[in-house]
Amino acid sequence: MHALGVELAGMLAAGDLLVLTGPLGAGKTTLTRGIGEGLGVRGPVTSPTFVLARSHPSLVGGSPLVHVDAYRLGSAVELDDLDIDFAGSVVVVEWGGGMLDGVAESWLEVDIVRPTGAADTAADELAEADLEEADLDADEPRAVTVTGFGPRWAA
């Protein structure tokens, strides 16, 4: 997931929006960490679960990364209240499905599926904050589908 994030970062620029979906432990934050590394932003890139959004300025003169966790948000209005610079940043929103209508004319949806089984039981037993420390996304294959919407990703 980290390597995929680094690769994706090479295609991203200010104004790009990514919406990440997948279960707890799927690797959404790990993917975002890779995007941050690829963009050359100040880190560490960690889950913004309790602060809702974190900004990571560029260390190389590129676009900043805004990492949003919309899990606890009830609506697009609450997301709008965060006053995110969508036009001037690369914005990654975890759990943002259905909350970004009208925010951008183009975006990438990244759907992450991980195998079910023993890891699911372990994930269910961990608090969400503990998933950051859990080794749930190590050596476990993921199926990732990236779908582009809007004129930016038409080609």
Side-chain angles (χ1 to χ4, degrees):
M1 292 308 295
H2 186 271
L4 176 60
V6 172
E7 185 176 335
L8 272 173
M11 297 180 254
L12 301 174
D16 286 339
L17 171 64
L18 292 87
V19 180
L20 310 184
T21 60
L24 291 173
K28 295 179 296 293
T29 299
T30 301
L31 177 72
T32 306
R33 191 173 296 123
I35 292 170
E37 180 180 314
L39 292 174
V41 301
R42 185 176 69 209
V45 175
T46 60
S47 177
T49 298
F50 299 106
V51 295
L52 302 180
R54 282 199 172 96
S55 292
H56 299 274
S58 176
L59 297 173
V60 295
S63 301
L65 171 67
V66 177
H67 185 195
V68 180
D69 186 329
Y71 186 76
R72 288 183 170 75
L73 299 179
S75 68
V77 172
E78 290 181 51
L79 181 64
D80 189 48
D81 286 345
L82 297 177
D83 198 28
I84 296 167
D85 179 11
F86 286 96
S89 307
V90 171
V91 179
V92 176
V93 182
E94 296 184 28
W95 307 101
M99 286 197 184
L100 300 168
D101 294 337
V103 170
E105 65 178 358
S106 296
W107 68 95
L108 290 176
E109 285 187 9
V110 181
D111 185 39
I112 306 166
V113 178
R114 69 175 172 82
T116 57
D120 281 337
T121 303
D124 290 342
E125 294 173 3
L126 292 170
E128 185 174 338
D130 293 337
L131 286 173
E132 206 44 51
E133 302 301 321
D135 202 16
L136 294 176
D137 59 354
D139 299 316
E140 198 175 74
R142 279 15 182 196
V144 180
T145 305
V146 180
T147 308
F149 294 90
R152 164 83 163 97
W153 304 107

